[in-house]
């Protein structure tokens, strides 16, 4: 049995040291890392094969690897340059920094508070520490909500990148189409000018009335007016493309190197729709918004609780005496009813917005697919049915005119139909580019194009006059010269043919600027 004098009273625990160690351990808890530009870049790389730079200078133009102006800008290069330099998109990317700051703030614990009471007569001095203990179990809820918001921001910016790519590709297609329209308009001016010259010669010979000659002359002037108007469409559309690419301040030429339009192919629109509903970035962002709203509702139901841990130190007879204490909220009147109601409304709005986004995705995919199929079907009719008929009509008109059976205006009218046919083909090729860009944006990824299908009908050779020399073939719009009426000598109407299939690269000088080439 131990002697009473050997018995040692248990020493009071050092609650201040214990509390300090606990707080230090809690302060070491780190929130999950927030997505940055790398996350958005990975999104776009997996979907469409393009990247986003980690940071660019606002006052400089940064060219992505492989992009250059000197050898002509392809469609993919235009998209890559836009993702690196478009001011509005770069402004949106700053939201990642805001989301990162919110996530860091959500993971921080509040600082403990210190209170000191000066000693007075008959009242010993006292000091205490208090710490809101509820912050410990509320922290994971706050972090979860902020992390969901950060993921929603990254998905939303990935969708903004897809939208920018769609806009750039459609603007690129508009510029290519405008240049084709300028070429066809030039050919139309030459053709109608030759008609007007022929009419003047026939008027002088007394074969037609002044009214007929005036009609031909007015038609030629209207064609010149149309060509003048169409000529200004190219710089206007180029300015829009420059703006989307973020190179509007650069005033050098903008040479384009367009590729052929995508070949027509068949897709399962319903399968694309289901895939887009599950994987498109705006659908993912809507789902993240719902999860964040659910986390905020949970926080609203618990966040009103105040539960403070207090460590009190008071001077005693011998030394300071530390004692723990608790202070908590008694929920008699305020249980955050208003905050809970607001959180419930925000959750309902997020759920309904998710349904709205889903409906928009269905509309986008189905509509863009139908528009793409419409352009393909119309182009097929144009090339397989209309084009052969027009070319056959030209050959018949040329042969009849050569034999003296029809007037020259019949042959010229047939040639004008061929010009209109080539213009319509250029418009349909532009539609294919635009609808293909919209279809890929609607699906949320790059669709693999099929190899160019074999021609459904053998290509027809352009109409050639029977008497043309083999070493000097005329244009497809030329008319024969042997059987011209004695009152007017018929000469070639058009000197060059329009390209019926793919736009040719536009030759231009090198740009008069030196952009900064940045590293990804």
């Amino acid at each position: 049995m131990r002697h009473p004098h050997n018995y040692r009273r248990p020493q009071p625990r050092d609650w201040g040291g214990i509390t300090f160690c606990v707080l230090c351990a809690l302060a070491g808890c780190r929130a999950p890392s927030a997505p940055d530009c790398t996350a958005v870049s990975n999104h776009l790389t997996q979907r469409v094969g393009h990247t986003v730079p980690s940071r660019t200078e606002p006052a400089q133009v940064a060219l992505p690897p492989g992009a250059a102006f000197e050898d002509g800008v392809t469609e993919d290069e235009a998209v890559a340059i836009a993702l690196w330099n478009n001011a509005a998109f770069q402004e949106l990317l700053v939201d990642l920094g805001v989301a990162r700051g919110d996530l860091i703030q959500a993971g921080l614990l509040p600082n403990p508070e210190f209170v000191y009471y000066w000693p007075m007569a008959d009242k010993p001095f006292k000091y205490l520490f208090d710490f809101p203990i509820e912050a410990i179990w509320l922290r994971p809820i706050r972090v979860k909500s902020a992390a969901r918001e950060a993921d929603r921001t990254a998905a939303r910016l990935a969708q903004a990148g897809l939208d920018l790519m769609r806009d750039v590709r459609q603007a690129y297609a508009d510029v290519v189409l405008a240049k084709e329209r300028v070429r066809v308009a030039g050919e139309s001016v030459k053709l109608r000018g030759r008609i007007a010259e022929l009419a003047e010669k026939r008027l002088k010979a007394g074969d037609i009335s002044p009214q007929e000659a005036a009609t031909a002359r007015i038609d030629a002037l209207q064609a010149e007016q149309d060509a003048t108007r169409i000529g200004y469409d190219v710089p206007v559309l180029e300015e829009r493309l420059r703006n989307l690419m973020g190179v509007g301040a650069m005033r050098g030429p903008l040479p384009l190197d367009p590729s052929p339009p995508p070949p027509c192919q068949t897709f399962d629109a319903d399968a694309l729709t289901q895939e887009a509903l599950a994987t498109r970035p705006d659908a993912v962002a809507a789902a993240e918004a719902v999860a964040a709203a659910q986390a905020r509702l949970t926080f609203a139901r618990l966040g009103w609780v105040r539960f403070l841990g207090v460590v009190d130190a008071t001077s005693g007879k011998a030394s300071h005496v530390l004692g723990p204490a608790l202070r908590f909220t008694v929920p008699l009147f305020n249980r955050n009813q208003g905050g809970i109601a607001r959180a419930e409304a925000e959750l309902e709005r997020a759920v309904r917005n998710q349904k709205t986004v889903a409906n928009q995705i269905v509309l986008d995919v189905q509509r863009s697919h139908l528009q793409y199929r419409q352009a393909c079907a119309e182009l097929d009719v144009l090339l397989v049915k209309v084009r052969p008929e027009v070319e056959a009509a030209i050959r018949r008109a040329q042969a009849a005119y050569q034999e003296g059976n029809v007037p020259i205006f019949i042959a010229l009218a047939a040639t004008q139909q061929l010009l209109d046919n080539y213009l319509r083909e250029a418009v349909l090729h532009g539609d294919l580019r635009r609808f293909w860009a919209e279809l890929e944006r609607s699906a949320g990824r790059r669709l693999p194009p099929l190899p160019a299908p074999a021609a459904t009908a053998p290509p027809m050779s352009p109409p050639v006059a029977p008497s043309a020399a083999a070493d000097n073939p005329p244009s497809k719009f030329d008319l024969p010269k042997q059987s011209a009426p004695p009152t007017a000598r018929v000469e070639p109407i058009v000197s060059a043919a329009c390209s019926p299939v793919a736009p040719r690269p536009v030759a231009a000088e090198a740009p008069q600027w030196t952009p900064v080439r940045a590293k990804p």
Side-chain angles (χ1 to χ4, degrees):
M1 182 175 180
R2 295 170 51 180
H3 196 275
H5 295 285
N6 294 334
Y7 174 72
R8 300 179 60 185
R9 296 178 59 187
Q11 298 294 325
R13 295 184 179 180
D14 188 0
W15 289 103
I18 294 175
T19 303
F20 179 77
C21 294
V22 171
L23 294 179
C24 289
L26 293 175
C29 299
R30 298 181 58 186
S33 59
D36 53 8
C37 288
T38 304
V40 179
S41 181
N42 292 337
H43 267 294
L44 296 178
T45 300
Q46 295 173 1
R47 294 176 180 275
V48 293
H50 288 286
T51 61
V52 175
S54 58
R55 179 176 176 81
T56 58
E57 295 298 330
Q60 294 181 349
V61 174
L63 292 183
F69 289 94
E70 292 78 8
D71 56 350
V73 180
T74 64
E75 184 180 283
D76 283 341
E77 288 178 340
V79 168
I81 294 173
L83 290 175
W84 282 55
N85 298 280
N86 183 271
F89 183 64
Q90 295 299 322
E91 179 184 355
L92 288 178
L93 289 178
V94 181
D95 290 348
L96 291 170
V98 177
R100 177 176 178 272
D102 292 342
L103 182 56
I104 293 175
Q105 190 65 30
L108 298 179
L109 294 175
N111 295 319
E113 295 184 359
F114 173 76
V115 181
Y116 179 80
Y117 298 90
W118 275 268
M120 303 295 290
D122 299 329
K123 183 179 180 180
F125 74 91
K126 181 175 72 171
Y127 61 89
L128 61 88
F129 293 89
D130 64 19
F131 176 79
I133 300 178
E134 79 277 357
I136 298 176
W137 72 71
L138 292 179
R139 178 183 178 275
I141 304 176
R142 294 197 310 268
V143 170
K144 179 180 179 181
S145 175
R148 292 291 191 176
E149 282 293 334
D151 293 338
R152 183 184 72 87
T153 300
R156 176 171 58 85
L157 294 180
Q159 183 63 42
L162 294 178
D163 295 343
L164 175 61
M165 293 176 58
R166 182 269 317 274
D167 295 341
V168 171
R169 295 171 65 184
Q170 291 187 345
Y172 192 98
D174 290 340
V175 175
V176 173
L177 174 59
K179 292 184 177 181
E180 287 300 303
R181 290 171 63 91
V182 167
R183 294 174 55 195
V184 176
E187 297 295 340
S188 181
V189 168
K190 293 179 182 179
L191 173 64
R192 295 181 181 182
R194 295 301 300 155
I195 293 176
E197 292 177 4
L198 179 59
E200 290 295 335
K201 293 179 181 179
R202 297 191 64 185
L203 175 63
K204 293 179 181 180
D207 293 338
I208 61 175
S209 65
Q211 183 63 33
E212 295 181 18
T215 301
R217 184 167 59 253
I218 292 173
D219 187 63
L221 294 176
Q222 288 179 342
E224 185 177 355
Q225 175 190 354
D226 293 340
T228 302
R229 175 181 54 81
I230 294 173
Y232 280 95
D233 289 344
V234 175
V236 170
L237 295 172
E238 280 186 348
E239 286 303 318
R240 178 171 180 265
L241 179 60
R242 288 175 186 270
N243 178 266
L244 290 173
M245 292 173 60
V247 296
M250 297 180 174
R251 305 318 306 165
L254 185 63
L256 302 185
D257 183 18
S259 57
C264 293
Q265 51 186 302
T266 303
F267 293 99
D268 187 348
D270 294 336
L272 282 180
T273 301
Q274 294 301 321
E275 179 185 353
L277 288 172
T279 63
R280 213 171 85 168
D282 54 350
V284 176
E288 294 291 353
V290 172
Q294 290 174 342
R296 287 194 297 269
L297 178 58
T298 302
F299 183 82
R301 289 170 175 169
L302 300 175
W304 58 271
V305 177
R306 295 286 294 170
F307 191 76
L308 298 178
V310 182
V311 178
D312 176 271
T314 307
S315 61
K317 295 181 178 180
S319 61
H320 301 301
V321 178
L322 297 177
L326 295 176
R327 187 173 68 183
F328 56 87
T329 301
V330 179
L332 294 180
F333 309 107
N334 184 355
R335 295 186 298 277
N336 196 28
Q337 293 92 332
I340 294 174
R342 180 183 178 87
E344 290 176 346
E346 291 180 349
L347 176 59
E348 182 180 0
R349 180 171 59 184
V351 172
R352 294 186 180 277
N353 177 72
Q354 187 179 22
K355 181 62 176 178
T356 301
V357 172
N359 291 340
Q360 185 64 42
I361 290 176
V362 174
L363 174 62
D364 290 344
V365 176
Q366 297 291 336
R367 179 177 57 187
S368 59
H369 179 263
L370 290 175
Q371 289 174 333
Y372 171 73
R373 295 303 306 164
Q374 176 189 15
C376 288
E378 188 174 355
L379 183 62
D380 181 69
V381 173
L382 180 72
L383 297 180
V384 177
K385 297 182 179 180
V386 180
R387 176 68 56 79
E389 288 294 332
V390 173
E391 292 177 342
I394 290 179
R395 286 195 297 269
R396 289 193 299 266
Q398 287 182 347
Y401 175 75
Q402 186 175 9
E403 296 175 359
N405 297 328
V406 296
I408 182 61
F409 294 101
I410 300 297
L412 295 178
T415 306
Q416 181 62 44
Q417 287 182 346
L418 186 59
L419 278 173
D420 295 339
N421 189 272
Y422 283 135
L423 177 60
R424 185 57 189 164
E425 182 182 3
V427 171
L428 290 176
H429 282 161
D431 290 344
L432 275 180
R433 298 177 190 273
R434 292 175 57 85
F435 296 149
W436 179 261
E438 180 63 36
L439 183 59
E440 289 192 332
R441 179 260 176 193
S442 301
R445 64 178 177 88
R446 172 159 290 181
L447 300 175
L450 298 176
T456 56
M460 300 191 68
S461 59
V464 179
S467 59
D471 57 347
N472 187 21
S475 168
K476 65 177 69 177
F477 306 117
D478 288 351
L479 296 177
K481 304 178 182 179
Q482 287 79 359
S483 301
T487 57
R489 180 173 181 270
V490 180
E491 296 178 357
I493 302 299
V494 180
S495 58
C498 298
S499 174
V501 182
R504 293 178 294 182
V506 180
E509 298 177 359
Q512 302 300 320
W513 61 72
T514 306
V516 178
R517 192 173 298 277
K519 296 181 179 180

